[in-house]
Amino acid sequence: MNAIWIDEQLETSARVQNSMKIEREDHKLEKRLCREVGRAIVDFNMIEEGDKVMVCVSGGKDSYAMLDILLKLQKRAPINFELVAVNLDQKQPGFPEHVLPEYLSKLGVPFHIENQDTYSIVTRVIPEGKTLCSLCSRLRRGILYRVAGELGCTKIALGHHRDDMLQTFFLNMFFAAKLKGMPPKLVSDDGKNIVIRPMAYVTEKDLTRWAQVQDFPIIPCTLCGSQENLQRKQVGNMLRDWQKQYPGRIENMFSALQNIVPSHLMDSKRHDFKGIRTTGVADPEGDKAFDAEEFMQAAPPGRAVIGINPLAPG
């Protein structure tokens, strides 16, 4: 009996310790998410005193997390601002229209559900088997801009994260022949709205974990999520493969988006190549035209990179 009792006590102790470890990790994750969102808000002056922020909530993990984090930051921020959650019900077949109103009511956050049957328009106009996202996005964008004006919102918050921003950069480079990304803050194409992306510094991995911790009532996107061969999915898979093979590559690429050197690209609209003249002054950062270029693999925090060839295929 004593041996059995001891085994039970050891198992109980192990469960308690494991539970405490998970709780500590969850707390660290929450702090990291709040810190990264707060840092983006400050770096790009996303939210100001008196703002009314329209938080676009789709029912996916990213927008749930964005609303959750913004609510946390709202309580401790040194400025006053309002949040209103907005969902566009596009009348997709089988869409559980009760989920978001129930969740948002439970949170106690002001919200608005906009009902517009864009699904019928998209499926009528786009041939079967073709990508629906482009038209769907344009319709959704116009509706949300209108709603923002009707609600008196000064900012529109979207739930795109760091991985989305990198994917957009490569999509533009591969398929649109542009070095163009997804900015953390911009004036909308109608010229009437400021759009912000508070989760610009947040990784998708952290958001996936936070969705599990918070047990968000995720609503799958059956309209576009079932289209497995989308270019964005292909680019996302490419980036994940790179990160597995060469840890730290994602961090380097994201840092590169914030470290642009127009003089070393080829856009004459951004740099006056025709007007270049010698100065006679040495520049330690200048281009050494006859030297072979060397690239150092930057290690992510806490990791030493050994034996990695950053120019290897992949």
Side-chain angles (χ1 to χ4, degrees), residues 228-300:
E228 295 297 338
N229 293 320
L230 291 179
Q231 293 167 337
R232 181 170 290 275
K233 288 182 179 291
Q234 296 171 13
V235 171
N237 291 334
M238 177 193 75
L239 293 175
R240 282 187 288 273
D241 288 343
W242 278 357
Q243 185 71 351
K244 288 178 183 177
Q245 294 182 61
Y246 310 105
R249 180 171 284 191
I250 293 292
E251 287 76 9
N252 285 351
M253 289 189 293
F254 189 74
S255 294
L257 295 180
Q258 305 168 72
N259 191 22
I260 308 299
V261 186
S263 64
H264 285 54
L265 296 174
M266 295 178 65
D267 189 343
S268 58
K269 297 187 294 295
R270 300 291 184 268
H271 186 73
D272 184 15
F273 290 99
K274 292 182 178 180
I276 287 178
R277 300 290 185 272
T278 58
T279 64
V281 178
D283 181 0
E285 298 299 322
D287 188 28
K288 299 172 179 61
F290 294 98
D291 293 356
E293 290 186 280
E294 296 182 3
F295 299 94
M296 296 297 293
Q297 174 74 16

Side-chain angles (χ1 to χ4, degrees), residues 60-272:
K61 70 178 190 314
D62 302 335
S63 59
Y64 274 129
M66 175 175 64
L67 176 61
D68 180 54
I69 298 163
L70 287 177
L71 285 169
K72 287 177 168 59
L73 293 178
Q74 185 186 38
K75 295 176 181 178
R76 63 187 77 161
I79 61 172
N80 296 308
F81 61 92
E82 297 179 54
L83 298 174
V84 55
V86 172
N87 169 254
L88 172 58
D89 183 347
Q90 298 176 269
K91 299 306 174 185
Q92 296 169 233
F95 182 80
E97 59 185 25
H98 65 285
V99 171
L100 275 167
E102 289 178 2
Y103 174 77
L104 296 170
S105 296
K106 186 177 178 180
L107 275 185
V109 63
F111 70 91
H112 170 79
I113 306 296
E114 180 72 13
N115 294 285
Q116 295 287 336
D117 187 3
T118 62
Y119 179 83
S120 296
I121 298 173
V122 171
T123 53
R124 184 178 68 249
V125 172
I126 302 296
E128 185 176 354
K130 297 293 183 180
T131 300
L132 308 175
C133 293
S134 180
L135 177 58
C136 178
S137 179
R138 289 199 299 273
L139 293 172
R140 184 170 63 246
R141 183 168 65 242
I143 293 168
L144 291 174
Y145 288 167
R146 172 180 58 78
V147 172
E150 292 173 354
L151 295 178
C153 295
T154 56
K155 303 282 174 61
I156 299 175
L158 302 180
H160 299 115
H161 46 73
R162 187 192 72 177
D163 301 69
D164 289 325
M165 297 171 84
L166 271 176
Q167 288 172 20
T168 300
F169 173 79
F170 281 101
L171 281 166
N172 275 304
M173 184 166 61
F174 292 158
F175 303 107
K178 293 181 180 179
L179 285 180
K180 177 183 176 183
M182 180 183 279
K185 181 181 179 182
L186 73 154
V187 176
S188 60
D189 52 1
D190 65 359
K192 299 177 181 178
N193 298 278
I194 293 179
V195 178
I196 60 175
R197 295 184 169 98
M199 298 199 300
Y201 293 150
V202 176
T203 68
E204 184 170 25
K205 180 177 67 175
D206 279 351
L207 293 173
T208 300
R209 174 60 186 151
W210 190 242
Q212 296 169 346
V213 171
Q214 296 295 90
D215 194 24
F216 294 134
I218 304 297
I219 300 174
C221 180
T222 55
L223 176 57
C224 58
S226 60
Q227 296 173 289
E228 295 297 338
N229 293 320
L230 291 179
Q231 293 167 337
R232 181 170 290 275
K233 288 182 179 291
Q234 296 171 13
V235 171
N237 291 334
M238 177 193 75
L239 293 175
R240 282 187 288 273
D241 288 343
W242 278 357
Q243 185 71 351
K244 288 178 183 177
Q245 294 182 61
Y246 310 105
R249 180 171 284 191
I250 293 292
E251 287 76 9
N252 285 351
M253 289 189 293
F254 189 74
S255 294
L257 295 180
Q258 305 168 72
N259 191 22
I260 308 299
V261 186
S263 64
H264 285 54
L265 296 174
M266 295 178 65
D267 189 343
S268 58
K269 297 187 294 295
R270 300 291 184 268
H271 186 73
D272 184 15

